[in-house]
């Protein structure tokens, strides 16, 4: 992707901005690339057509806050969950259909994997992970030693990683035996990512650090030095870099040339004294978008270390950030409900 | 003081009246909105979207201190509650009857995201006036719950005589002379006198009758008791920090709560200090009130407290005579 967009005024010339009125808890695009969904702390989900400014229909999706949002395992539509304990599908036409209800226990984590024949949905309810097929039929319930704090499918939908106290569990989604590979490291792990080539699994930890396991030999990978907790992390598409929040810059760990063992991270788009709260790696190129606690949003080109400011400081911390699957659009939202959808495609 | 949401921790043994109190907080017409985080064994007779189920998941911080335990579930739940559109006047966290209150309190010292949006208001312990002596005899947690409390609801007074109530109160004060005791029957204490106490506010540290402390605690039978010491001459801050830092590091596991107010050498403002086990917090607060003796005071609540040693340590922090 070419970062040819002008450094100033991207939002004004190529963006659609809305005040949604509540904490933006999650953003994602559908797989077909036609819609973006914004989930809020007031229980609503707003759907934006990517092609035009238009209205963003407001859907009363949950009683309480929407705690998790994911693209559906199909081309169109979304899946959301909330503190009402309901997991439901939101169609492109704004129709709701319940997949599952816990009877009130919060659903805080969601992940989906799409493939024509075998899409998968996973949600965490306390210590259990419920795995569904793309039709919403429950395939199995996976038990963990403590509450699951993060979920991630690998790039092929073969494995599912779940973070929890003292490490992470790595499940084979199609396995009949249902014994996970336990990746152990003492402490509270609060989020998880899988390398796109499934080389390693990385978790964020309560102690302002990341912990990784190289899957081939179980080698521990410690990544430390953050001033704050990492609440957002992800690999670039080619697996060379792991981007993370939790410092006053985007922190990128090299996963090549022997890294991240004994290799320092690269820091991009530093804003002194301003914490990065969200990162999102571009689905194709070596680009990473980042949101900051002061409302700034940037896109940084990793190799060239070029940075384009998408949004100037705003009223509230950036709380959600996502790329469309084709990488042409970026959406973000803040703790006070400012939301934007930006077209970054070459023109 | 700030727009941080106050969090009240509610502890107490099963059957002491915690659930009765919670039901009153949720149903009474006090014009305020409270979220209640209950443990998995709780059985509130209220169907309410403000009630959240928690699993009381404690973990040890990776800092080499085994007393440094934290409630990870609470970090998550408070974070999610803060995302809700309708805000709360407060959050109440109930712990199971047998739980040690330390991990809940320590969560507020450890986690920046929790500190950014909420503050620990007070630890409230509900005790059963009739059964407390038996609980103190058969469980170490009972003494710990009293030791940690800022407010103690001495409940079920209808089941004891006036003399028995006085005796129970004396035992509570022997463990924790800093707690405010509220007598109750069927947990009928005014909700507003339990919530919004600012007990962890440094400005409120040791705001109680100083004469009261002179009644030295001798009720060592529960293993948990309190010691208060005074220093007449001003304190040298660096010496105090070194001494207290080492003390909490070495003895933190036995020191359940520590509170202090210091007259610091060369400083007109007083320094307020508090700790839960080894986690400490301190800052300068306003000047001493008119007529104050300006003595520095420390109160320790814990086990195996060596009074002469603590006194010598504190006195050595004074400016030379």
């Amino acid at each position: 992707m070419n970062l040819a967009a002008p450094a100033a005024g991207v939002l004004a010339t190529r963006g659609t901005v809305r005040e949604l009125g509540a904490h933006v808890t999650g953003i994602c695009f559908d797989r077909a690339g036609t819609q973006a969904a914004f989930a809020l702390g007031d229980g609503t989900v707003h759907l934006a057509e990517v092609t035009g400014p238009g209205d963003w229909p407001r859907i009363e999706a949950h009683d309480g806050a929407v705690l998790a949002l994911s693209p559906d395992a199909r081309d169109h539509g979304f899946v959301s969950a909330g503190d009402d304990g309901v997991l439901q599908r939101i169609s492109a036409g704004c129709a709701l259909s319940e997949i599952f209800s816990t009877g009130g226990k919060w659903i805080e984590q969601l992940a989906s994997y799409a493939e024509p024949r075998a899409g998968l949905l996973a949600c965490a309810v306390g210590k259990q992970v419920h795995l569904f097929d793309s039709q919403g039929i429950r395939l199995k319930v996976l038990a963990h030693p403590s509450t699951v704090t993060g979920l991630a499918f690998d790039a092929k939908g073969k494995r599912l990683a779940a973070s929890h106290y003292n490490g992470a569990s790595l499940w084979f989604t199609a396995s009949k035996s249902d014994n996970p590979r336990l990746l152990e490291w003492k402490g509270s792990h609060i989020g998880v990512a899988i390398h796109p080539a499934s080389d390693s699994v990385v978790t964020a930890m309560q102690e302002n650090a990341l912990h990784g396991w190289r899957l081939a030999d179980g080698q521990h990978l410690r990544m430390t030095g953050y001033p704050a907790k990492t609440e957002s992390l992800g690999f670039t598409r080619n697996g060379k870099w792991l981007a993370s929040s939790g410092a006053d810059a985007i922190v990128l760990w090299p996963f090549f040339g022997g890294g991240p063992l004994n290799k320092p991270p690269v820091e991009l788009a530093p804003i002194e004294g301003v914490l990065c709260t969200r990162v999102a790696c571009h689905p194709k190129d070596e680009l990473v978008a980042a949101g900051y606690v002061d409302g700034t949003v940037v896109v940084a080109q990793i190799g060239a270390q070029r940075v384009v400011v998408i949004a100037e400081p705003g009223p509230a911390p950036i709380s959600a950030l996502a790329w469309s699957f084709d990488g042409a659009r970026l959406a973000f939202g803040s703790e006070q409900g400012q939301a934007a959808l930006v077209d970054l495609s070459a023109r | 003081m700030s727009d941080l949401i106050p969090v009240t921790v509610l502890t107490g043994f099963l059957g002491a009246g915690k659930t009765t109190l919670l039901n009153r907080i949720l149903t009474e017409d006090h014009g305020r909105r409270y979220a209640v985080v209950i443990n998995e064994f709780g059985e509130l007779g209220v169907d309410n979207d403000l009630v959240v189920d928690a699993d009381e998941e404690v973990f040890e911080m990776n800092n080499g201190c085994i007393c440094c335990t934290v409630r990870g579930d609470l970090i998550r739940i408070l974070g999610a509650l803060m995302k809700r559109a309708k805000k709360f006047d407060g959050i109440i966290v109930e712990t199971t009857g047998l739980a040690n209150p330390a991990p809940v309190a320590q969560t507020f010292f450890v986690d920046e995201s929790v500190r950014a949006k909420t503050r620990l208001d007070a630890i409230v312990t509900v005790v059963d006036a009739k059964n407390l002596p038996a609980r103190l005899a058969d469980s170490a947690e009972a003494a710990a719950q009293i030791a940690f409390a800022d407010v103690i609801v001495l409940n079920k007074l209808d089941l004891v005589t006036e003399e028995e109530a006085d005796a129970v109160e004396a035992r509570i004060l022997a463990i924790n002379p800093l707690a405010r005791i509220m007598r109750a029957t069927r947990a009928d204490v005014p909700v507003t006198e339990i919530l919004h106490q600012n007990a962890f506010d440094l400005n409120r540290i040791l705001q109680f009758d100083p004469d009261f402390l002179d009644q030295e605690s001798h009720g060592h039978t529960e293993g948990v008791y309190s010691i208060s010491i005074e220093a007449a001459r001003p304190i040298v801050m660096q010496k105090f920090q070194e001494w207290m830092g080492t003390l909490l590091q070495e003895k933190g596991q036995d020191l359940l709560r520590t509170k202090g107010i210091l007259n610091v050498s060369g400083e007109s403002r007083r320094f307020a200090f508090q700790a839960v086990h080894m986690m400490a917090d301190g800052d300068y607060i306003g000047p001493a009130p008119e007529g104050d003796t300006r003595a520095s005071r420390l109160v320790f609540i814990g086990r195996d407290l060596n009074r002469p040693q603590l006194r010598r340590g504190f006195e050595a922090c004074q400016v030379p005579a």
Side-chain angles (χ1 to χ4, degrees), chain A:
Chain A
M1 175 175 191
N2 180 9
L3 269 185
V10 181
L11 206 52
T13 57
R14 293 174 157 238
T16 309
V17 181
R18 293 280 185 277
E19 290 281 345
L20 300 182
H23 190 123
V24 182
T25 58
I27 295 178
C28 64
F29 287 83
D30 65 354
R31 293 176 195 278
T34 59
Q35 286 180 317
F38 296 78
L40 304 189
D42 63 1
T44 63
V45 173
H46 300 245
L47 293 190
E49 299 293 329
V50 300
T51 49
D55 284 337
W56 294 7
R58 177 180 192 273
I59 303 156
E60 302 272 354
H62 294 276
D63 197 8
V66 188
L67 295 177
L69 178 74
S70 146
D72 200 344
R74 308 158 169 179
D75 283 348
H76 294 278
F78 302 92
V79 178
S80 68
D83 53 21
D84 56 356
V86 175
L87 174 69
Q88 65 192 351
R89 189 162 256 145
I90 302 170
S91 76
C94 303
L96 295 173
S97 55
E98 183 175 307
I99 297 172
F100 168 63
S101 172
T102 65
K105 205 161 162 61
W106 290 8
I107 304 177
E108 293 178 77
Q109 300 296 329
L110 268 184
S112 67
Y113 167 73
E115 208 225 314
R117 284 173 295 111
L120 292 169
L121 288 173
C123 73
V125 183
K127 299 171 188 176
Q128 294 182 330
V129 171
H130 297 248
L131 189 66
F132 302 86
D133 67 13
S134 58
Q135 302 301 311
I137 309 288
R138 186 160 60 191
L139 303 172
K140 51 180 122 186
V141 178
L142 308 171
H144 299 80
S146 60
T147 295
V148 171
T149 55
L151 282 176
F153 282 106
D154 70 4
K156 294 177 178 168
K158 285 187 176 167
R159 287 189 275 196
L160 175 67
S163 58
H164 42 72
Y165 280 178
N166 301 322
S169 296
L170 192 58
W171 303 87
F172 279 98
T173 53
S175 164
K176 300 252 186 312
S177 65
D178 283 346
N179 288 317
R181 175 170 172 191
L182 270 180
L183 303 169
E184 293 178 281
W185 187 258
K186 189 172 167 283
S188 173
H189 300 253
I190 55 176
V192 68
I194 305 186
H195 187 274
S198 295
D199 290 347
S200 48
V201 170
V202 176
T203 59
M205 294 198 66
Q206 173 70 29
E207 286 94 352
N208 302 350
L210 306 185
H211 194 85
W213 295 263
R214 200 157 64 198
L215 294 180
D217 58 2
Q219 171 72 48
H220 289 282
L221 310 168
R222 300 201 62 193
M223 290 157 272
T224 59
Y226 293 87
K229 271 191 294 193
T230 292
E231 292 184 353
S232 172
L233 76 167
F235 284 95
T236 54
R237 182 73 187 90
N238 60 16
K240 280 174 78 176
W241 299 96
L242 174 70
S244 57
S245 71
D248 56 1
I250 308 167
V251 176
L252 292 146
W253 295 92
F255 273 67
F256 57 92
L261 273 182
N262 307 317
K263 298 269 184 209
V266 168
E267 295 190 10
L268 280 185
I271 307 180
E272 202 182 324
V274 179
L275 274 185
C276 172
T277 53
R278 284 286 174 279
V279 294
C281 288
H282 191 269
K284 293 180 174 162
D285 302 322
E286 274 200 0
L287 292 174
V288 56
Y292 292 77
V293 75
D294 70 349
T296 301
V297 176
V298 303
V299 174
Q301 204 161 7
I302 297 173
Q305 304 221 347
R306 260 197 76 203
V307 176
V308 172
V309 175
I310 304 295
E312 300 286 345
I318 298 299
S319 54
L321 181 69
W323 288 100
S324 60
F325 282 83
D326 62 1
R329 290 178 173 84
L330 181 70
F332 55 88
S334 82
E335 288 187 8
Q336 285 178 19
Q338 290 81 29
L341 176 59
V342 191
D343 179 2
L344 295 173
S345 58
R347 284 187 180 170

Side-chain angles (χ1 to χ4, degrees), chain B residues 278-303:
Chain B
M278 66 171 290
M279 302 205 177
D281 185 15
D283 205 354
Y284 285 100
I285 59 171
E290 291 285 326
D292 190 276
T293 60
R294 297 230 55 178
S296 299
R297 288 202 298 273
L298 273 182
V299 177
F300 298 98
I301 301 175
R303 305 180 192 93

